[in-house]
Amino acid sequence: MNISYNWLKDYLDFDLSPQETADALTSIGLETGGVEEVETIKGGLEGLVIGEILTCADHPDSDHLHVTTVNVGEGDPLQIVCGAPNVAAGQKVVVALVGTKLYSGEESFTIKRSKIRGTESFGMICAEDEIGIGTSHAGIIVLPADAKVGTLAKDYYNIKSEYILEVDITPNRIDSASHFGVARDLSAYLKQNDLRGTLKALSVDNFKINEPNGGIPVKVENTEACPRYAGVTIKGVKVTESPEWLKNRLTLIGLRPINNIVDITNYILHGLGHPLHAFDVAHITGGEVIVRTLPEGTKFTTLDEAERTLSDRDLMICNTQEGMCIGGVFGGLKSGVTENTTDIFLECAYFNPTWIRKTARRHVLNTDSSFRFERGCDPNDTIYVLKYAALMIQELAGGQITGEIQDVYPTPIAKPVVELSYQKVNSLIGKNINKETVKSILNSLEIVISKETDDTLTLEIPTYRVDVLRDVDVIEDILRIYGYNNIELSDSVKSSLSYETQTDKSYDLQNLISEQLTGCGFNEIMNNSLTKESYYKNSETYPISNCVHLINPLSSDLGVMRQTLLHGGLESISYNRNRQNPDIKFYEFGNCYFFDAGKKTEGENLREYSEEFHLGLWLSGNSVDNSWAVPDEKTSVYQLKADVENILTRLGIPSSRFEYTQFSSEIYSAALGIQAKGKGKSLGTLGIISKKWLKAHDINTDVYFAELNWDTLMREIKKHTITYADIPKFPAVKRDLALLLDKNILFDQIEKVAYKAERKLLKEISLFDVYEGKNLPEGKKSYAVNFVLQDEEKTLNDKQIDAVMSKIQKSLEDELGAKLR
């Protein structure tokens, strides 16, 4: 936010330089990124002087040029060729001397000695637009006769250097989103540092009603969205260009002047921080302002000439027939003040921040008004701001205040009350601060002490401080005004022995697995924890009753918190495929959230809510594409299964400690559950995503997905220890079996039976071929399985090997009905 140094001094009488002001603001939390010296007119009118035309004759070789001699106060008169139609002898004019740089927007040019149609010219007599003091190019500037020849133009026009402070306002400090708000905070700093600084109150004592009758009445039908609405009617105003000082003020902070009425509302918004809106009374059909909502789907054209479709949750400022303005956000095409306006209705209101925020997001409108209203304006300064604006309009545009101020405020908003303990102040700040200093800081921040004991203070917080609702908020304010740099470092260091916590270990392992997956060609994604409610409707695996719903969602697409990482990944896959990136390997670490009404317990407000940390993997498209060395190869669920097993192995959960189980879910067309062996504890799932969900995300190819419960994995390896052993000195032996089995038998079952039959010598089992089809009995399939045997103490002989393989074969025949082919 741009803050004008001189404008700031209108509200606070202080002696700090612009840079010292920036440093002071930064020290109290209003970080100031820079101080820029600017001029109200670009170039500062350097090189321009007031001159007098002594003679003016027609140019000998032109029918529109004139040759003049001009006295500029020093040296001989200058000969200047001028083409302006209104140039004449005896005029006082503005002259650009040779070497002067003039600006036109971002471009500039330098006045040089030149020949025009054969006649030398030693300068230029200027028009308004040529030097930046106006827009007219009809002729040269003709000054009053009493203008003194030789006076520098910058002195004549009172051009002064100005300083702009770039203040970065954090979202919670909307009270400082104005010049007066910054001055109020700076005043507290100055007071605590014994520096001169008097905050100036802007008086509205001269406000009076000129005509008691004839004002526009107000009716508020939606007091939830509009807790307070005030307005006043001013008749007989004259809409013109604003005076120079007002235009300069707005231009310096980056605003474009429009007319005196609109400029006043912008001036007060950036000066006092409360938005206003001026309506043309001629367009208030029915002579009444009604604050309400309109039916869903109503069309409304805003000031930018865009037609918008309204929601029934958009607050509208209406006349008796139609909407005139989207309350607190943007005016309507017909509501604005024009040069033809003679009577205005001036609005100053307090709108519900949530309503304004949702409307602004819904219509993608971010205005100066919505920025302030959605963060919280002061509901109790409404009448003061309205009176000040009315007085300013009368001063600059004339008019008569007609009718009483309309103020609809059915439920006044009280000041928040906070109990503050001195002990907590000192504990959190880390220093014992004198009680009188604490009270002095509170007083400088306009926080009222309504009750006091030896140990505590009862405080009334100003309603403009929407960020101060708890004692810790007050303590933060005390500390920033007291000064962070005034908290001394202790001479002693208090420390405890450091040790690795489970959180530290989990974080380290996340990095380890991330590096592993990235090395395998995966890309990490990070999706929003907020997601669509529609994903969970009619779902058995993730029922909507288990969703954590947001009370005030920004949109229907962000209405609940996710129960699974699946949908965020599918959205990312769809986004990439639509942009010609079909080969996907994604992973994501993220929280999932659950609600279980059955766990609700009296006195434990959050018992029914839970949170889990998950790891998701997605594969889609080709794993090998456009390679000269190998043919294209599609990803498969088996590749995903290998990736999952590599993760589990890296975490210290080898295949001997987990098992797969088949299960059905509407999420997958085929799926496996991963469980800790012997415990039945679920570690995660993997499978092929169902066509239903692929279609919902506009994906027309297979997607393979695995989701691991990271919290459960961390508990599973909590007591895991790493042991080391020498590499066996004796060779391993491999044997193959070709087994004829029922089609429903899984390789996982073969592993279990084989390891159960031989626990000591059997080291590894692998499947290297599967065959189904011709020459096999109906309902059968063939598995080619490799077994690795090894004794770590001696070399195996044929007799031992045959005995082990016979035992394994018999177990497979007895338990699985296997037969050798």
Side-chain angles (χ1 to χ4, degrees):
M1 183 179 73
N2 289 333
I3 293 293
S4 161
Y5 175 74
N6 287 334
W7 192 347
L8 194 64
K9 299 196 81 168
D10 284 355
Y11 302 127
L12 182 65
D13 185 12
F14 65 101
D15 299 324
L16 299 182
S17 68
Q19 187 57 55
E20 289 171 336
T21 303
D23 295 340
L25 292 176
T26 300
S27 74
I28 58 176
L30 302 180
E31 185 176 351
T32 304
V35 179
E36 181 184 2
E37 184 177 4
V38 296
E39 291 128 348
T40 52
I41 295 177
K42 192 168 185 179
L45 301 186
E46 290 291 341
L48 297 167
V49 298
I50 307 303
E52 180 180 9
I53 301 177
L54 302 178
T55 65
C56 179
D58 292 339
H59 193 290
D61 293 326
S62 171
D63 59 357
H64 71 281
L65 295 176
H66 301 87
V67 180
T68 68
T69 56
V70 183
N71 174 21
V72 293
E74 289 185 2
D76 296 331
L78 302 178
Q79 178 173 284
I80 298 176
V81 177
C82 178
N86 64 330
V87 64
Q91 293 174 335
K92 298 290 182 65
V93 293
V94 178
V95 179
L97 303 178
V98 172
T100 300
K101 182 180 285 189
L102 299 181
Y103 296 86
S104 177
E106 295 301 318
E107 298 179 357
S108 64
F109 64 93
T110 302
I111 302 299
K112 298 178 181 178
R113 175 180 175 178
S114 60
K115 278 190 177 183
I116 302 175
R117 298 281 183 95
T119 301
E120 284 191 310
S121 181
F122 298 89
M124 185 174 84
I125 303 174
C126 302
E128 284 185 359
D129 63 332
E130 291 169 334
I131 63 173
I133 66 167
T135 58
S136 173
H137 194 71
I140 60 171
I141 303 166
V142 179
L143 301 176
D146 60 356
K148 186 177 179 181
V149 173
T151 303
L152 297 179
K154 65 179 180 180
D155 295 334
Y156 181 83
Y157 285 104
N158 196 27
I159 302 300
K160 296 180 180 178
S161 291
E162 169 66 294
Y163 294 88
I164 296 297
L165 284 64
E166 298 175 13
V167 181
D168 298 326
I169 301 296
T170 54
N172 63 314
R173 290 302 311 278
I174 195 62
D175 63 288
S176 294
S178 67
H179 285 75
F180 186 79
V182 172
R184 186 169 48 203
D185 237 27
L186 183 59
S187 172
Y189 167 87
L190 296 173
K191 184 175 181 179
Q192 293 310 308
N193 288 275
D194 296 324
L195 298 172
R196 190 177 75 85
T198 305
L199 197 63
K200 303 174 185 177
L202 302 174
S203 174
V204 293
D205 293 342
N206 291 332
F207 179 87
K208 65 178 181 178
I209 308 297
N210 302 115
E211 294 289 339
N213 301 312
I216 300 293
V218 170
K219 184 197 303 183
V220 178
E221 294 183 359
N222 190 327
T223 54
E224 176 198 349
C226 181
R228 187 175 194 180
Y229 190 92
V232 68
T233 306
I234 307 174
K235 293 187 176 181
V237 299
K238 185 177 181 180
V239 180
T240 62
E241 190 176 345
S242 295
E244 287 298 320
W245 71 265
L246 179 53
K247 290 193 293 184
N248 289 341
R249 281 279 167 92
L250 298 178
T251 302
L252 279 169
I253 63 171
L255 297 180
R256 180 176 63 87
I258 298 172
N259 59 53
N260 52 357
I261 303 297
V262 175
D263 292 350
I264 286 169
T265 62
N266 284 330
Y267 176 80
I268 290 177
L269 182 146
H270 289 274
L272 299 180
H274 204 124
L276 298 151
H277 188 72
F279 295 89
D280 188 336
V281 169
H283 294 292
I284 304 180
T285 307
E288 184 179 19
V289 170
I290 305 170
V291 184
R292 62 191 181 98
T293 56
L294 294 176
E296 181 79 29
T298 300
K299 302 296 183 182
F300 180 71
T301 304
T302 45
L303 276 172
D304 57 358
E305 300 185 4
E307 185 179 72
R308 304 180 188 276
T309 302
L310 300 177
S311 162
D312 61 0
R313 299 289 289 175
D314 292 333
L315 184 68
M316 298 295 295
I317 313 301
C318 308
N319 55 38
T320 57
Q321 294 184 4
E322 60 185 352
M324 299 186 295
C325 173
I326 302 177
V329 180
F330 209 30
L333 185 61
K334 298 179 182 179
S335 73
V337 173
T338 68
E339 64 274 6
N340 299 320
T341 300
T342 57
D343 303 331
I344 65 170
F345 176 79
L346 189 62
E347 162 199 285
C348 187
Y350 170 74
F351 298 115
N352 185 309
T354 302
W355 278 69
I356 301 302
R357 181 174 66 252
K358 289 183 177 180
T359 293
R361 300 298 180 273
R362 191 179 295 121
H363 296 289
V364 196
L365 287 170
N366 184 23
T367 62
D368 284 334
S369 291
S370 69
F371 177 83
R372 286 158 177 81
F373 277 129
E374 69 185 40
R375 287 162 176 80
C377 289
D378 185 359
N380 294 321
D381 73 346
T382 304
I383 300 301
Y384 170 79
V385 172
L386 188 66
K387 288 182 177 180
Y388 186 77
L391 287 171
M392 200 169 173
I393 288 172
Q394 282 190 302
E395 180 184 349
L396 300 183
Q400 298 288 302
I401 296 174
T402 305
E404 297 293 331
I405 289 179
Q406 302 292 306
D407 185 17
V408 182
Y409 196 19
T411 307
I413 297 173
K415 293 181 178 181
V417 176
V418 171
E419 295 289 333
L420 182 68
S421 159
Y422 286 118
Q423 185 275 331
K424 191 169 184 178
V425 171
N426 296 330
S427 174
L428 289 185
I429 290 178
K431 179 180 179 179
N432 290 331
I433 299 178
N434 183 280
K435 291 181 180 180
E436 293 304 316
T437 301
V438 170
K439 289 191 284 187
S440 175
I441 292 173
L442 294 173
N443 179 61
S444 66
L445 290 169
E446 299 182 358
I447 296 175
V448 177
I449 301 172
S450 60
K451 185 179 178 182
E452 180 179 359
T453 68
D454 290 340
D455 302 319
T456 62
L457 297 172
T458 302
L459 308 175
E460 293 181 2
I461 311 299
T463 48
Y464 62 76
R465 288 304 303 274
V466 294
D467 61 315
V468 179
L469 299 173
R470 307 166 299 166
D471 57 353
V472 289
D473 299 327
V474 177
I475 294 170
E476 181 184 4
D477 259 11
I478 292 171
L479 176 56
R480 68 184 182 84
I481 300 300
Y482 181 77
Y484 296 101
N485 293 333
N486 292 327
I487 307 300
E488 302 86 357
L489 293 176
S490 173
D491 294 333
S492 61
V493 177
K494 299 178 181 179
S495 64
S496 58
L497 293 175
S498 175
Y499 65 95
E500 185 181 57
T501 65
Q502 282 301 115
T503 301
D504 297 329
K505 186 175 181 180
S506 172
Y507 181 75
D508 290 342
L509 289 174
Q510 284 177 53
N511 287 333
L512 182 70
I513 298 304
S514 292
E515 291 173 359
Q516 175 177 318
L517 290 170
T518 301
C520 292
F522 281 80
N523 289 301
E524 185 174 11
I525 58 175
M526 289 185 286
N527 289 297
N528 199 336
S529 296
L530 304 178
T531 188
K532 296 181 181 179
E533 187 175 331
S534 60
Y535 290 153
Y536 301 97
K537 288 182 178 177
N538 304 317
S539 174
E540 295 179 3
T541 307
Y542 302 107
I544 196 167
S545 59
N546 286 357
C547 283
V548 178
H549 288 78
L550 270 68
I551 295 175
N552 292 311
L554 292 176
S555 68
S556 58
D557 287 348
L558 302 172
V560 299
M561 303 190 79
R562 64 188 178 191
Q563 294 188 56
T564 172
L565 302 179
L566 170 65
H567 299 294
L570 292 180
E571 289 173 355
S572 298
I573 290 173
S574 177
Y575 183 91
N576 277 267
R577 288 185 61 83
N578 289 338
R579 286 155 181 80
Q580 308 304 314
N581 185 24
D583 303 328
I584 304 297
K585 297 180 80 172
F586 285 157
Y587 74 94
E588 178 181 13
F589 285 98
N591 287 314
C592 295
Y593 307 87
F594 306 90
F595 172 79
D596 186 351
K599 293 182 179 179
K600 187 163 184 155
T601 304
E602 188 69 30
E604 297 184 40
N605 296 334
L606 300 179
R607 183 67 182 273
E608 62 268 35
Y609 297 95
S610 60
E611 177 181 326
E612 294 177 355
F613 196 61
H614 287 194
L615 167 60
L617 304 176
W618 294 262
L619 294 181
S620 182
N622 289 342
S623 59
V624 178
D625 188 35
N626 291 331
S627 172
W628 64 272
V630 292
D632 290 355
E633 179 182 338
K634 286 189 172 295
T635 56
S636 69
V637 73
Y638 302 106
Q639 181 181 341
L640 177 66
K641 181 170 175 282
D643 289 323
V644 170
E645 290 179 356
N646 286 338
I647 291 171
L648 296 177
T649 301
R650 191 70 180 271
L651 292 175
I653 307 176
S655 58
S656 59
R657 290 183 57 188
F658 67 89
E659 58 188 357
Y660 295 105
T661 58
Q662 287 184 302
F663 75 97
S664 61
S665 164
E666 82 279 1
I667 298 294
Y668 300 101
S669 58
L672 291 175
I674 309 167
Q675 294 183 342
K677 190 172 287 186
K679 300 178 182 179
K681 188 186 298 180
S682 175
L683 303 178
T685 61
L686 67 87
I688 307 170
I689 298 300
S690 69
K691 299 295 182 185
K692 166 191 170 183
W693 286 113
L694 295 179
K695 184 177 179 181
H697 289 277
D698 194 27
I699 299 172
N700 57 6
T701 189
D702 287 336
V703 174
Y704 310 103
F705 173 63
E707 187 164 19
L708 302 176
N709 189 321
W710 189 262
D711 292 334
T712 304
L713 292 176
M714 292 301 100
R715 288 192 291 270
E716 186 67 18
I717 64 172
K718 188 174 182 180
K719 297 182 179 179
H720 173 68
T721 55
I722 299 174
T723 57
Y724 299 89
D726 292 334
I727 296 175
K729 299 177 181 179
F730 304 98
V733 176
K734 296 182 178 181
R735 291 291 185 269
D736 297 336
L737 292 179
L739 302 172
L740 191 65
L741 298 150
D742 290 339
K743 280 188 174 182
N744 61 342
I745 300 296
L746 300 176
F747 174 67
D748 179 64
Q749 295 172 271
I750 296 175
E751 281 187 303
K752 289 179 183 177
V753 171
Y755 279 123
K756 182 179 176 183
E758 178 53 54
R759 300 179 185 277
K760 182 180 178 182
L761 300 181
L762 182 59
K763 302 300 182 183
E764 186 180 335
I765 307 171
S766 60
L767 178 67
F768 63 90
D769 188 46
V770 179
Y771 175 72
E772 296 181 63
K774 189 177 179 182
N775 299 327
L776 290 183
E778 185 69 25
K780 298 290 185 179
K781 63 182 175 183
S782 174
Y783 273 173
V785 185
N786 176 261
F787 299 86
V788 178
L789 307 177
Q790 187 176 38
D791 192 328
E792 296 176 1
E793 298 177 355
K794 61 183 179 180
T795 301
L796 292 173
N797 56 44
D798 289 342
K799 185 176 180 180
Q800 290 173 305
I801 294 169
D802 291 341
V804 170
M805 293 305 299
S806 295
K807 184 165 60 170
I808 292 173
Q809 180 183 333
K810 186 173 186 311
S811 295
L812 292 171
E813 291 172 350
D814 293 344
E815 297 191 33
L816 301 179
K819 293 182 180 179
L820 290 182
R821 286 189 64 195

